[in-house]
Amino acid sequence: MSRKTETVDSMGTDRPEIEIRGLHKSFGDNKVLRGIDLDIARGEVVCVIGPSGSGKSTLLRCVNLLEEPTSGQVFVGGTEVTDLDVDIDAVRRRIGMVFQQFNLFPHLNVTENLTLPQRRVLRRSKARAAAVARENLLRVGLADKADAYPAQLSGGQQQRVAIARALVMGPEVMLFDEPTSALDPELVGEVLSVMRLLAAEGMTMMVVTHEMSFAREVADRVVFMDGGVIVEHGPAAQVVGDPQHERTRNFLMRILDPAATEAPVEDAGVDVRKPVDGSSEG
């Protein structure tokens, strides 16, 4: 059963938690996003997959304006993030972001890494911030590492601390940009387990990932991107297990069976700029 529910705005209208409309992003002459439309409901988990350079990380970063779109609109919880007059700091407090790299302060211990943003941004007292830090360290299975420093932790533990640091701010949405790509293979599972827990709790999640088993098991929907457009999207079992578009099939073949001997996907003769349904709508 789907975890998703609908956001109701001040006018009583059902709205997705994340709305992306006609999103374009260019870096000079390089068109990275070519008119993306995508809705994500509250409590829904959407995994975004695709080859390197397909625009998936740029799309994620546009949601909280770490990258400023060239054109188009992004709404989070009914607030237009791309409005020039928006209080972007207020919007970002509702959005947790977990990167490939952990970005922990090496000179601060785990508790201090979690309490610092609470005290500076949310103006919580030292005692309240420490209590919230303990609660979320327990949530990610690291209650015993409260006094450890980042250098004393494994990569998987550091990434779980980074997730806890995002959670202490009380986000309504969590964005993950390939959170396991910098980890040794044996450490991937512990991070994915925390993400499974968040999904089960009903957290709205947008996850850029290459972990196909996680996408198939946890995601409500999977979006396959290439060439700056959404080529295919749908239920996870369909897109990962029975893709309808040739480009998606070629990509998954390479991911799931790296030793496959078929022609490289670049030579497959597919116009990746044309989504399966003739649009880039998510």
Side-chain angles (χ1 to χ4, degrees):
M1 181 178 296
S2 175
R3 295 173 295 273
K4 64 183 178 183
T5 58
E6 296 296 331
T7 300
V8 180
D9 66 15
S10 60
M11 300 298 291
T13 304
D14 290 345
R15 297 191 64 166
E17 185 72 15
I18 299 174
E19 303 169 77
I20 300 170
R21 297 286 179 264
L23 196 67
H24 290 257
K25 175 62 180 178
S26 297
F27 295 97
D29 294 331
N30 182 20
K31 296 180 179 180
V32 179
L33 300 177
R34 301 167 178 259
I36 300 294
D37 292 288
L38 181 65
D39 287 345
I40 300 177
R42 179 179 295 175
E44 190 176 24
V45 178
V46 172
C47 284
V48 184
I49 65 173
S52 177
S54 61
K56 52 191 190 298
S57 289
T58 299
L59 173 62
L60 195 76
R61 293 170 65 87
C62 283
V63 172
N64 62 357
L65 227 61
L66 289 179
E67 294 288 354
E68 186 173 349
T70 303
S71 63
Q73 295 175 293
V74 177
F75 299 83
V76 176
T79 299
E80 185 181 350
V81 177
T82 44
D83 187 332
L84 294 177
D85 296 324
V86 74
D87 183 347
I88 190 60
D89 291 331
V91 173
R92 284 176 177 156
R93 286 196 286 271
R94 299 159 56 186
I95 305 172
M97 182 88 181
V98 179
F99 300 90
Q100 297 178 31
Q101 302 300 325
F102 321 124
N103 298 325
L104 301 176
F105 292 112
H107 62 291
L108 301 180
N109 66 27
V110 166
T111 296
E112 292 166 339
N113 267 282
L114 268 61
T115 56
L116 181 64
Q118 296 183 70
R119 299 189 67 191
R120 288 192 174 178
V121 178
L122 301 181
R123 303 300 181 184
R124 285 176 177 160
S125 68
K126 183 176 181 180
R128 175 58 180 158
V132 173
R134 286 193 298 271
E135 174 185 329
N136 282 282
L137 285 174
L138 181 64
R139 200 173 174 187
V140 302
L142 290 174
D144 61 334
K145 300 296 183 182
D147 297 324
Y149 285 83
Q152 298 171 312
L153 304 177
S154 70
Q157 289 171 333
Q158 290 186 63
Q159 189 63 292
R160 284 190 282 159
V161 171
I163 294 173
R165 180 182 56 190
L167 292 173
V168 298
M169 306 300 285
E172 299 168 16
V173 172
M174 287 286 286
L175 308 178
F176 294 86
D177 188 5
E178 301 210 31
T180 61
S181 64
L183 301 179
D184 292 333
E186 66 269 21
L187 301 178
V188 169
E190 62 191 61
V191 174
L192 296 182
S193 292
V194 171
M195 295 172 66
R196 288 186 182 94
L197 173 65
L198 295 180
E201 292 176 351
M203 177 67 73
T204 305
M205 297 166 60
M206 187 174 178
V207 185
V208 170
T209 184
H210 59 274
E211 298 290 341
M212 294 303 109
S213 60
F214 175 82
R216 180 156 40 191
E217 174 190 345
V218 178
D220 294 295
R221 282 186 296 142
V222 169
V223 171
F224 173 66
M225 290 184 64
D226 197 18
V229 301
I230 293 175
V231 176
E232 183 170 352
H233 65 91
Q238 173 190 310
V239 175
V240 180
D242 186 25
Q244 303 302 299
H245 198 283
E246 182 180 357
R247 183 64 183 94
T248 315
R249 290 194 296 270
N250 286 332
F251 170 77
L252 289 171
M253 177 186 68
R254 291 289 170 181
I255 292 293
L256 300 175
D257 185 10
T261 58
E262 283 81 352
V265 293
E266 291 82 3
D267 299 332
V270 178
D271 185 351
V272 298
R273 293 172 297 176
K274 294 182 180 180
V276 66
D277 59 359
S279 71
S280 62
E281 188 166 344

